Amino acid sequence: MISKEFKEQLKAIVGTDNVDDSNSGRTVYSYDATPKFQALPDIVVAPRNVDEVAAVVRLCNETKIPIVARGSGTNLCGDTCPLQGGVVLLFKHLNQILEIDKENLTITVQPGVITKEICDAVEKIDLFYPPDPSSMKISTIGGNISENSGGLRGLKYGVTGDYVMGLQVVLPNGEIIRTGGKLTKDVAGYDLTSLFVGSEGTLGIITEATLKLIPKPEAKKTILALYQVIEAAGQTVSSIIANKMIPTTLEFLDKSTLNAVEDFAKIGLPTDVEAILLIEQDGPEEIVERDIKRISEICRQQQAIDVQVAASNEEAEKLTTARRAALSALARLKPTTILEDATVPRSEIATMVKAIADIAKKYNVKISTFGHAGDGNLHPTCLTDVRNEEEMERVEDAFAEIFEKALKLGGTITGEHGVGIMKAPYLEWKLGKAGIDVMKGIKQAIDPNNIMNPGKLFAEKTRERMANIQ
Amino acid sequence: MISKEFKEQLKAIVGTDNVDDSNSGRTVYSYDATPKFQALPDIVVAPRNVDEVAAVVRLCNETKIPIVARGSGTNLCGDTCPLQGGVVLLFKHLNQILEIDKENLTITVQPGVITKEICDAVEKIDLFYPPDPSSMKISTIGGNISENSGGLRGLKYGVTGDYVMGLQVVLPNGEIIRTGGKLTKDVAGYDLTSLFVGSEGTLGIITEATLKLIPKPEAKKTILALYQVIEAAGQTVSSIIANKMIPTTLEFLDKSTLNAVEDFAKIGLPTDVEAILLIEQDGPEEIVERDIKRISEICRQQQAIDVQVAASNEEAEKLTTARRAALSALARLKPTTILEDATVPRSEIATMVKAIADIAKKYNVKISTFGHAGDGNLHPTCLTDVRNEEEMERVEDAFAEIFEKALKLGGTITGEHGVGIMKAPYLEWKLGKAGIDVMKGIKQAIDPNNIMNPGKLFAEKTRERMANIQ
C-alpha cells in the first residue's frame, strides 16, 4: 500500500490529471495479454517528460515502491502485470517521433510510439524499419525494445535489438543516461544498449530510442507452399537456407491454425492441407523474381503439393495480415489461449514440430502450432480454459516438456516473448545457476532496491526438470 | 610478485611446458601493438582446454592474481599490456575451428583461431564471415570478440559483435557458462553475449564462440574516386547513403596516407590528389553493376576529378590489401605511430576531417587521416617519437581535442579499437559519471576481486576536458 503522502508527491510531479488510483483505473492495468496473471497496482501515473519520469523513479527508489513501465501491454510473458503492486507508469504523453535523419538513416522516438506508426512514417520516404512483431498495430516501441521483440521479417532482418543504436534511460536511482548514438560503431565501454534491450523493465525506464533504418526494399513477392506431410514443410525450411537463400519471411502454419485463421479472416486459405509455409522475399526486383523461382522449386522438391504465388501486393498483404492474426483467430475458439515461443536451431524445426505434436497427444491437450519457422521460432499455442484446473496442470506439464525438448535440441525457452513471470521458473534450465547468478549480480548492481518490475525474470523457485524426454 | 607455490600450482594445471616465467618469455608479452605501454607479467601460461582455463582462473581468483587473456596482441588500446603483472594467458592450444554448420549457417571456433582462417574456411564452401579488421591476417577471433572489432566491410555488414551468436565463457569465479547458441532469436534473460563482446577481457575469458555466417556474395566490384577537395570526399559519403545505397566498403585516405601506402605497396595509387575514396559493392552481379554505376555518378557530381573502376578482382584485392596496410605503411615513417578511432555520425564526416586537419595545425603535429568513412569511423594517425616529451604532450592535447570534437558532433571516443588503458581517461566524457557507475557496478558484480585485466576501461583519473572547441 502506498501512503497518502506518496500520492501527493506523485501529483506534485506529474499533475493531478496524470495520477489515477481509482478502482477502475487500477483494474485496467492489473493484467496484460498474458493469461493467468493479475495483480492490482496501487496507482497509475503518466509522466509528461523525461524529467518527470526521473522524479517519479527517484521517489519510488527512496520509498522502495515497485514501478512497472507499460506500453500497450501486449507482451505474452506477464511482464506488465504489477505483481507486487506499486506504480504502473504509462507513456501516453511520451508518444512522439522526434526526428527522422535521412543522412544517417536513423529515427529517434519516444517509447510510447506505436510500432506501426514508425514503419509507416519511414516507408513514406522510402526507408524501412524491419522489425514487425505481430502486435505492431497496437504495441509500442518501448515495449518492443524492453522485450527485444521479433517478428515476421526476422529471418532476413533480425529483431528489434538489431535496430536499436542508442537509448536514453532513467536508471533506478533517477539518473538519466544515454547509451550509443547515431553511430554504426561504438565500443566505449560495455554494451549498455544491448543490456537494456530485452531487460523487461527490470533495469531502468527507456525514455528515448534512436533506431537504425535501412533503404526500403524495391520489390517483394509472396508465395504459399502447401504440404500434406508436416515434416516436409520443416525440411523445406532447412533446405532453403542450406541453398544459401535468406527469405524475408518463412512462416509455418499447421492445419488447426490454418482453419482458425481462415474462419476468422476468410481470404480463401487452403484448409484441407496439413501445413503451409508462407514465404516472402524482398529486394531488387530481378533478385526477388530469381529467388522466388528457386524457392518454389525447392518447395516442390520437398513434397509441397502446390506452390501458389500471390498475384499482387494486395493479395500478399492479405496473407501476411492473416498470419499476423493467428493469435486472435485461435483465441476465439476457447476461453484461454496460451501461446509459447520455444525456439530451436532452424535445422531442428522438423524434429521440433513433430515433438510438439507428440507431447500434445501424450498430455491430451490441444496445441496448434505456427510461427517463424525460418528462425526456428515456433508458437505452440494451447487452447484451454483457465478454470479447468486439472486440464491446466496437463497444459503446464506439456509446455514444460516442450521447453525441455527445445533445450535438448540446442534451443531456448523463449525466442521473442521474454521471460517475465511466465517463464521465470524455466530460466535456469537454459542458463544454469552460474548464468542466473551473473544476471542477478547485474540486477543487484543497477537496481539494489529491486524497485524495477520486481518478481520478473528471476523465479523464487525453479521448476523441476521433466524426465523421460527423448 | 607471484609465489613459488603459485607457479607450481599452475604447472600442475597446464603442465610444465605451458608455463614460462623466463625474462625473455615475459618480455615478449609485456607490450602489444599500442605505443607507450609496457609492463612485465609475472608468468605466461598456455592452458590446453577449457577446464584448464577454468582451473587457472579459479587459482588466480583465490590468490587475487591479475589475469590478462591475450590473442595476437594487435589491439590498439593497450588492452593486452599486463599493467599490474600477474598471469598472461595464451590461446595457442585453443586454436581450432570446431564445426561449420551449413544448415544453421554457423561456425564454432576456439578463441585462438586467426580471423582470416575463418574467412578462408567458410568462403571455400560459398559462405561468408563479414567482419574483417585490418589485422585479420594476424589477429585472433578471441581478440576480435573481446574488442568488438570493426573492419572494412562494416558499413554494409556490421562489426564482430553482430556475428556472435553464442559464447562459452569462464567467469572470474571459475564457473563455465554458455550464452546464446545457434539461435537467431533468444531472449532468455539479459543479453550476456553482447555484454561479453567488447568487454576487453575485464569480465571473463571467452573459450569458445559460435559465429553467424551468411551466403557469400555472388560478385563484387571496387572503384577509386579521386578528389582535390577533401570535403568533397566527405560529402560524397553522405550523399551515397542519402541516395539509399549501402556499399560494402567506403574508405577514405588523405594525401599523406596515400603517399605512405603507395611508397610501401607500390601498386600505382594516385599520389597527387588530396584524398581518395575506395568503394566496394558486393551482391548479385546485376545489382553490383547498377550500384557501382550510380555511385560513380554521385562521386562525379560531388567533384571527384576521376573515378576508376578496378579492372579485375585481383586489382580490387590489391587496392583493399594496400588500404589494410595503411598502419604498417605509416609506421615506417617515424619511430612512433599513434592511431586513433574517433567516430562520428556519418553525416559529420566532412566536418570531422576538416576539424582534424585544423587541430593538427593548431598543435603543430603531423596527423594523417584515413578510415572507414561510411561508418563515420576515422583513423587520425599521428607520426611522432615517444622519446620527444615536448612533442608527445602536444600530440596528447591534439587527440584530446579530436575526441572532444567527435563527442560534440554526436560521436564517440572509440569506434572499433576499445578503451583499454589508452582511452580510459576519456571514457567519462562519453558516458558521464552515471554511465561509468553502471559499468563499474557490472564489473564489481561479475569480478569482485578485480582479477580480470585490471586497470583497463576505468581510469583512476578522468582527463580534464579541453576548452574553446568550436
Side-chain angles (χ1 to χ4, degrees), chain A residues 299-325:
Chain A
C299 293
R300 285 195 194 93
Q301 282 162 13
Q302 298 287 346
Q303 302 179 50
I305 58 164
D306 195 13
V307 179
Q308 306 170 353
V309 181
S312 63
N313 275 347
E314 290 66 42
E315 195 183 316
E317 195 57 37
K318 264 189 200 165
L319 291 171
T320 317
T321 305
R323 156 59 190 92
R324 281 189 215 283

PDB file of all heavy atoms in Angstrom, chain A residues 299-325:
ATOM      1  N   CYS A 299      10.609 -26.013 -52.694  1.00  0.00           N
ATOM      2  CA  CYS A 299       9.360 -26.450 -52.042  1.00  0.00           C
ATOM      3  C   CYS A 299       8.821 -27.703 -52.743  1.00  0.00           C
ATOM      4  O   CYS A 299       8.427 -28.671 -52.080  1.00  0.00           O
ATOM      5  CB  CYS A 299       8.304 -25.346 -52.090  1.00  0.00           C
ATOM      6  SG  CYS A 299       8.707 -23.894 -51.107  1.00  0.00           S
ATOM      7  N   ARG A 300       8.814 -27.670 -54.072  1.00  0.00           N
ATOM      8  CA  ARG A 300       8.277 -28.807 -54.820  1.00  0.00           C
ATOM      9  C   ARG A 300       9.151 -30.038 -54.623  1.00  0.00           C
ATOM     10  O   ARG A 300       8.633 -31.141 -54.434  1.00  0.00           O
ATOM     11  CB  ARG A 300       8.166 -28.462 -56.304  1.00  0.00           C
ATOM     12  CG  ARG A 300       6.991 -27.545 -56.579  1.00  0.00           C
ATOM     13  CD  ARG A 300       6.608 -27.453 -58.049  1.00  0.00           C
ATOM     14  NE  ARG A 300       5.725 -26.314 -58.224  1.00  0.00           N
ATOM     15  CZ  ARG A 300       6.135 -25.097 -58.558  1.00  0.00           C
ATOM     16  NH1 ARG A 300       7.414 -24.851 -58.786  1.00  0.00           N
ATOM     17  NH2 ARG A 300       5.261 -24.106 -58.666  1.00  0.00           N
ATOM     18  N   GLN A 301      10.474 -29.832 -54.653  1.00  0.00           N
ATOM     19  CA  GLN A 301      11.378 -30.969 -54.396  1.00  0.00           C
ATOM     20  C   GLN A 301      11.111 -31.587 -53.034  1.00  0.00           C
ATOM     21  O   GLN A 301      11.294 -32.777 -52.829  1.00  0.00           O
ATOM     22  CB  GLN A 301      12.844 -30.507 -54.441  1.00  0.00           C
ATOM     23  CG  GLN A 301      13.403 -30.311 -55.839  1.00  0.00           C
ATOM     24  CD  GLN A 301      14.673 -29.457 -55.819  1.00  0.00           C
ATOM     25  OE1 GLN A 301      15.250 -29.230 -54.759  1.00  0.00           O
ATOM     26  NE2 GLN A 301      15.086 -28.993 -56.982  1.00  0.00           N
ATOM     27  N   GLN A 302      10.707 -30.769 -52.109  1.00  0.00           N
ATOM     28  CA  GLN A 302      10.468 -31.254 -50.744  1.00  0.00           C
ATOM     29  C   GLN A 302       8.993 -31.616 -50.536  1.00  0.00           C
ATOM     30  O   GLN A 302       8.465 -31.471 -49.430  1.00  0.00           O
ATOM     31  CB  GLN A 302      10.909 -30.193 -49.716  1.00  0.00           C
ATOM     32  CG  GLN A 302      12.388 -29.861 -49.749  1.00  0.00           C
ATOM     33  CD  GLN A 302      13.261 -30.975 -49.167  1.00  0.00           C
ATOM     34  OE1 GLN A 302      12.772 -31.881 -48.507  1.00  0.00           O
ATOM     35  NE2 GLN A 302      14.565 -30.911 -49.445  1.00  0.00           N
ATOM     36  N   GLN A 303       8.336 -32.055 -51.601  1.00  0.00           N
ATOM     37  CA  GLN A 303       6.984 -32.627 -51.497  1.00  0.00           C
ATOM     38  C   GLN A 303       5.857 -31.637 -51.242  1.00  0.00           C
ATOM     39  O   GLN A 303       4.801 -32.044 -50.748  1.00  0.00           O
ATOM     40  CB  GLN A 303       6.913 -33.697 -50.398  1.00  0.00           C
ATOM     41  CG  GLN A 303       7.876 -34.851 -50.558  1.00  0.00           C
ATOM     42  CD  GLN A 303       7.716 -35.815 -49.381  1.00  0.00           C
ATOM     43  OE1 GLN A 303       6.609 -36.227 -49.038  1.00  0.00           O
ATOM     44  NE2 GLN A 303       8.822 -36.161 -48.759  1.00  0.00           N
ATOM     45  N   ALA A 304       6.074 -30.356 -51.532  1.00  0.00           N
ATOM     46  CA  ALA A 304       4.919 -29.450 -51.476  1.00  0.00           C
ATOM     47  C   ALA A 304       3.932 -29.915 -52.542  1.00  0.00           C
ATOM     48  O   ALA A 304       4.336 -30.231 -53.664  1.00  0.00           O
ATOM     49  CB  ALA A 304       5.357 -28.015 -51.745  1.00  0.00           C
ATOM     50  N   ILE A 305       2.651 -30.000 -52.193  1.00  0.00           N
ATOM     51  CA  ILE A 305       1.685 -30.458 -53.193  1.00  0.00           C
ATOM     52  C   ILE A 305       1.255 -29.317 -54.110  1.00  0.00           C
ATOM     53  O   ILE A 305       0.731 -29.533 -55.189  1.00  0.00           O
ATOM     54  CB  ILE A 305       0.455 -31.109 -52.548  1.00  0.00           C
ATOM     55  CG1 ILE A 305      -0.224 -30.129 -51.588  1.00  0.00           C
ATOM     56  CG2 ILE A 305       0.830 -32.402 -51.831  1.00  0.00           C
ATOM     57  CD1 ILE A 305      -1.629 -30.525 -51.212  1.00  0.00           C
ATOM     58  N   ASP A 306       1.505 -28.092 -53.667  1.00  0.00           N
ATOM     59  CA  ASP A 306       1.187 -26.954 -54.524  1.00  0.00           C
ATOM     60  C   ASP A 306       1.996 -25.741 -54.046  1.00  0.00           C
ATOM     61  O   ASP A 306       2.285 -25.623 -52.852  1.00  0.00           O
ATOM     62  CB  ASP A 306      -0.319 -26.637 -54.455  1.00  0.00           C
ATOM     63  CG  ASP A 306      -0.756 -25.704 -55.588  1.00  0.00           C
ATOM     64  OD1 ASP A 306       0.045 -25.513 -56.534  1.00  0.00           O
ATOM     65  OD2 ASP A 306      -1.870 -25.170 -55.507  1.00  0.00           O
ATOM     66  N   VAL A 307       2.360 -24.891 -54.990  1.00  0.00           N
ATOM     67  CA  VAL A 307       3.035 -23.643 -54.631  1.00  0.00           C
ATOM     68  C   VAL A 307       2.285 -22.520 -55.340  1.00  0.00           C
ATOM     69  O   VAL A 307       2.177 -22.505 -56.554  1.00  0.00           O
ATOM     70  CB  VAL A 307       4.515 -23.655 -55.068  1.00  0.00           C
ATOM     71  CG1 VAL A 307       5.183 -22.332 -54.709  1.00  0.00           C
ATOM     72  CG2 VAL A 307       5.263 -24.816 -54.428  1.00  0.00           C
ATOM     73  N   GLN A 308       1.734 -21.606 -54.563  1.00  0.00           N
ATOM     74  CA  GLN A 308       0.922 -20.532 -55.133  1.00  0.00           C
ATOM     75  C   GLN A 308       1.621 -19.191 -54.944  1.00  0.00           C
ATOM     76  O   GLN A 308       2.006 -18.846 -53.827  1.00  0.00           O
ATOM     77  CB  GLN A 308      -0.444 -20.490 -54.429  1.00  0.00           C
ATOM     78  CG  GLN A 308      -1.168 -21.831 -54.446  1.00  0.00           C
ATOM     79  CD  GLN A 308      -2.404 -21.848 -53.548  1.00  0.00           C
ATOM     80  OE1 GLN A 308      -2.671 -20.902 -52.797  1.00  0.00           O
ATOM     81  NE2 GLN A 308      -3.170 -22.932 -53.628  1.00  0.00           N
ATOM     82  N   VAL A 309       1.768 -18.460 -56.040  1.00  0.00           N
ATOM     83  CA  VAL A 309       2.394 -17.140 -55.948  1.00  0.00           C
ATOM     84  C   VAL A 309       1.297 -16.084 -55.817  1.00  0.00           C
ATOM     85  O   VAL A 309       0.336 -16.095 -56.588  1.00  0.00           O
ATOM     86  CB  VAL A 309       3.250 -16.854 -57.198  1.00  0.00           C
ATOM     87  CG1 VAL A 309       3.930 -15.491 -57.082  1.00  0.00           C
ATOM     88  CG2 VAL A 309       4.286 -17.955 -57.397  1.00  0.00           C
ATOM     89  N   ALA A 310       1.419 -15.215 -54.841  1.00  0.00           N
ATOM     90  CA  ALA A 310       0.417 -14.154 -54.675  1.00  0.00           C
ATOM     91  C   ALA A 310       0.436 -13.272 -55.913  1.00  0.00           C
ATOM     92  O   ALA A 310       1.494 -12.859 -56.382  1.00  0.00           O
ATOM     93  CB  ALA A 310       0.729 -13.329 -53.423  1.00  0.00           C
ATOM     94  N   ALA A 311      -0.763 -13.007 -56.449  1.00  0.00           N
ATOM     95  CA  ALA A 311      -0.866 -12.322 -57.736  1.00  0.00           C
ATOM     96  C   ALA A 311      -0.494 -10.849 -57.631  1.00  0.00           C
ATOM     97  O   ALA A 311      -0.018 -10.246 -58.587  1.00  0.00           O
ATOM     98  CB  ALA A 311      -2.278 -12.468 -58.280  1.00  0.00           C
ATOM     99  N   SER A 312      -0.680 -10.276 -56.469  1.00  0.00           N
ATOM    100  CA  SER A 312      -0.439  -8.836 -56.338  1.00  0.00           C
ATOM    101  C   SER A 312       0.057  -8.531 -54.929  1.00  0.00           C
ATOM    102  O   SER A 312      -0.012  -9.373 -54.040  1.00  0.00           O
ATOM    103  CB  SER A 312      -1.753  -8.073 -56.558  1.00  0.00           C
ATOM    104  OG  SER A 312      -2.673  -8.453 -55.540  1.00  0.00           O
ATOM    105  N   ASN A 313       0.543  -7.316 -54.748  1.00  0.00           N
ATOM    106  CA  ASN A 313       0.952  -6.892 -53.411  1.00  0.00           C
ATOM    107  C   ASN A 313      -0.211  -6.928 -52.431  1.00  0.00           C
ATOM    108  O   ASN A 313      -0.039  -7.238 -51.258  1.00  0.00           O
ATOM    109  CB  ASN A 313       1.529  -5.469 -53.456  1.00  0.00           C
ATOM    110  CG  ASN A 313       3.006  -5.500 -53.822  1.00  0.00           C
ATOM    111  OD1 ASN A 313       3.628  -6.564 -53.795  1.00  0.00           O
ATOM    112  ND2 ASN A 313       3.547  -4.345 -54.166  1.00  0.00           N
ATOM    113  N   GLU A 314      -1.412  -6.615 -52.943  1.00  0.00           N
ATOM    114  CA  GLU A 314      -2.585  -6.605 -52.059  1.00  0.00           C
ATOM    115  C   GLU A 314      -2.878  -8.019 -51.559  1.00  0.00           C
ATOM    116  O   GLU A 314      -3.164  -8.231 -50.387  1.00  0.00           O
ATOM    117  CB  GLU A 314      -3.827  -6.054 -52.794  1.00  0.00           C
ATOM    118  CG  GLU A 314      -3.777  -4.565 -53.104  1.00  0.00           C
ATOM    119  CD  GLU A 314      -2.687  -4.200 -54.120  1.00  0.00           C
ATOM    120  OE1 GLU A 314      -2.532  -4.951 -55.106  1.00  0.00           O
ATOM    121  OE2 GLU A 314      -1.979  -3.199 -53.906  1.00  0.00           O
ATOM    122  N   GLU A 315      -2.784  -8.981 -52.488  1.00  0.00           N
ATOM    123  CA  GLU A 315      -3.043 -10.363 -52.089  1.00  0.00           C
ATOM    124  C   GLU A 315      -1.981 -10.821 -51.085  1.00  0.00           C
ATOM    125  O   GLU A 315      -2.292 -11.482 -50.094  1.00  0.00           O
ATOM    126  CB  GLU A 315      -3.042 -11.275 -53.326  1.00  0.00           C
ATOM    127  CG  GLU A 315      -3.657 -12.624 -53.041  1.00  0.00           C
ATOM    128  CD  GLU A 315      -3.594 -13.567 -54.256  1.00  0.00           C
ATOM    129  OE1 GLU A 315      -3.886 -13.111 -55.378  1.00  0.00           O
ATOM    130  OE2 GLU A 315      -3.246 -14.749 -54.055  1.00  0.00           O
ATOM    131  N   ALA A 316      -0.731 -10.438 -51.355  1.00  0.00           N
ATOM    132  CA  ALA A 316       0.352 -10.798 -50.436  1.00  0.00           C
ATOM    133  C   ALA A 316       0.102 -10.194 -49.055  1.00  0.00           C
ATOM    134  O   ALA A 316       0.269 -10.847 -48.024  1.00  0.00           O
ATOM    135  CB  ALA A 316       1.688 -10.314 -50.994  1.00  0.00           C
ATOM    136  N   GLU A 317      -0.309  -8.950 -49.047  1.00  0.00           N
ATOM    137  CA  GLU A 317      -0.571  -8.244 -47.799  1.00  0.00           C
ATOM    138  C   GLU A 317      -1.672  -8.935 -47.003  1.00  0.00           C
ATOM    139  O   GLU A 317      -1.595  -9.073 -45.780  1.00  0.00           O
ATOM    140  CB  GLU A 317      -0.962  -6.793 -48.114  1.00  0.00           C
ATOM    141  CG  GLU A 317      -0.920  -5.844 -46.943  1.00  0.00           C
ATOM    142  CD  GLU A 317       0.445  -5.765 -46.251  1.00  0.00           C
ATOM    143  OE1 GLU A 317       1.465  -5.835 -46.956  1.00  0.00           O
ATOM    144  OE2 GLU A 317       0.467  -5.680 -45.017  1.00  0.00           O
ATOM    145  N   LYS A 318      -2.704  -9.404 -47.744  1.00  0.00           N
ATOM    146  CA  LYS A 318      -3.791 -10.135 -47.091  1.00  0.00           C
ATOM    147  C   LYS A 318      -3.272 -11.380 -46.382  1.00  0.00           C
ATOM    148  O   LYS A 318      -3.687 -11.705 -45.269  1.00  0.00           O
ATOM    149  CB  LYS A 318      -4.836 -10.557 -48.138  1.00  0.00           C
ATOM    150  CG  LYS A 318      -5.998  -9.608 -48.263  1.00  0.00           C
ATOM    151  CD  LYS A 318      -7.059 -10.240 -49.158  1.00  0.00           C
ATOM    152  CE  LYS A 318      -7.998  -9.170 -49.717  1.00  0.00           C
ATOM    153  NZ  LYS A 318      -8.792  -9.665 -50.829  1.00  0.00           N
ATOM    154  N   LEU A 319      -2.380 -12.094 -47.048  1.00  0.00           N
ATOM    155  CA  LEU A 319      -1.823 -13.319 -46.482  1.00  0.00           C
ATOM    156  C   LEU A 319      -1.034 -13.009 -45.201  1.00  0.00           C
ATOM    157  O   LEU A 319      -1.191 -13.670 -44.177  1.00  0.00           O
ATOM    158  CB  LEU A 319      -0.908 -14.019 -47.489  1.00  0.00           C
ATOM    159  CG  LEU A 319      -1.596 -14.635 -48.706  1.00  0.00           C
ATOM    160  CD1 LEU A 319      -0.562 -15.095 -49.729  1.00  0.00           C
ATOM    161  CD2 LEU A 319      -2.469 -15.815 -48.275  1.00  0.00           C
ATOM    162  N   THR A 320      -0.196 -11.986 -45.294  1.00  0.00           N
ATOM    163  CA  THR A 320       0.620 -11.636 -44.128  1.00  0.00           C
ATOM    164  C   THR A 320      -0.256 -11.160 -42.979  1.00  0.00           C
ATOM    165  O   THR A 320      -0.034 -11.506 -41.817  1.00  0.00           O
ATOM    166  CB  THR A 320       1.644 -10.533 -44.507  1.00  0.00           C
ATOM    167  OG1 THR A 320       2.201 -10.864 -45.778  1.00  0.00           O
ATOM    168  CG2 THR A 320       2.742 -10.444 -43.493  1.00  0.00           C
ATOM    169  N   THR A 321      -1.248 -10.359 -43.313  1.00  0.00           N
ATOM    170  CA  THR A 321      -2.152  -9.864 -42.274  1.00  0.00           C
ATOM    171  C   THR A 321      -2.893 -11.028 -41.618  1.00  0.00           C
ATOM    172  O   THR A 321      -3.075 -11.058 -40.395  1.00  0.00           O
ATOM    173  CB  THR A 321      -3.158  -8.859 -42.882  1.00  0.00           C
ATOM    174  OG1 THR A 321      -2.407  -7.842 -43.536  1.00  0.00           O
ATOM    175  CG2 THR A 321      -4.042  -8.238 -41.821  1.00  0.00           C
ATOM    176  N   ALA A 322      -3.302 -11.993 -42.441  1.00  0.00           N
ATOM    177  CA  ALA A 322      -3.984 -13.165 -41.881  1.00  0.00           C
ATOM    178  C   ALA A 322      -3.051 -13.907 -40.928  1.00  0.00           C
ATOM    179  O   ALA A 322      -3.437 -14.313 -39.828  1.00  0.00           O
ATOM    180  CB  ALA A 322      -4.429 -14.097 -43.014  1.00  0.00           C
ATOM    181  N   ARG A 323      -1.799 -14.070 -41.328  1.00  0.00           N
ATOM    182  CA  ARG A 323      -0.834 -14.744 -40.465  1.00  0.00           C
ATOM    183  C   ARG A 323      -0.659 -13.993 -39.136  1.00  0.00           C
ATOM    184  O   ARG A 323      -0.620 -14.585 -38.062  1.00  0.00           O
ATOM    185  CB  ARG A 323       0.508 -14.897 -41.187  1.00  0.00           C
ATOM    186  CG  ARG A 323       1.741 -15.050 -40.314  1.00  0.00           C
ATOM    187  CD  ARG A 323       1.704 -16.246 -39.378  1.00  0.00           C
ATOM    188  NE  ARG A 323       2.808 -16.197 -38.412  1.00  0.00           N
ATOM    189  CZ  ARG A 323       2.744 -15.649 -37.212  1.00  0.00           C
ATOM    190  NH1 ARG A 323       1.626 -15.121 -36.764  1.00  0.00           N
ATOM    191  NH2 ARG A 323       3.802 -15.645 -36.423  1.00  0.00           N
ATOM    192  N   ARG A 324      -0.593 -12.666 -39.243  1.00  0.00           N
ATOM    193  CA  ARG A 324      -0.443 -11.865 -38.021  1.00  0.00           C
ATOM    194  C   ARG A 324      -1.638 -12.046 -37.085  1.00  0.00           C
ATOM    195  O   ARG A 324      -1.542 -11.830 -35.883  1.00  0.00           O
ATOM    196  CB  ARG A 324      -0.325 -10.380 -38.369  1.00  0.00           C
ATOM    197  CG  ARG A 324       1.032  -9.967 -38.850  1.00  0.00           C
ATOM    198  CD  ARG A 324       1.123  -8.439 -38.950  1.00  0.00           C
ATOM    199  NE  ARG A 324       1.953  -8.052 -40.071  1.00  0.00           N
ATOM    200  CZ  ARG A 324       3.287  -8.111 -40.067  1.00  0.00           C
ATOM    201  NH1 ARG A 324       3.911  -8.519 -38.993  1.00  0.00           N
ATOM    202  NH2 ARG A 324       3.984  -7.766 -41.126  1.00  0.00           N
ATOM    203  N   ALA A 325      -2.772 -12.413 -37.672  1.00  0.00           N
ATOM    204  CA  ALA A 325      -3.989 -12.549 -36.871  1.00  0.00           C
ATOM    205  C   ALA A 325      -4.112 -13.928 -36.245  1.00  0.00           C
ATOM    206  O   ALA A 325      -5.130 -14.241 -35.625  1.00  0.00           O
ATOM    207  CB  ALA A 325      -5.209 -12.255 -37.745  1.00  0.00           C
TER     208      ALA A 325
END
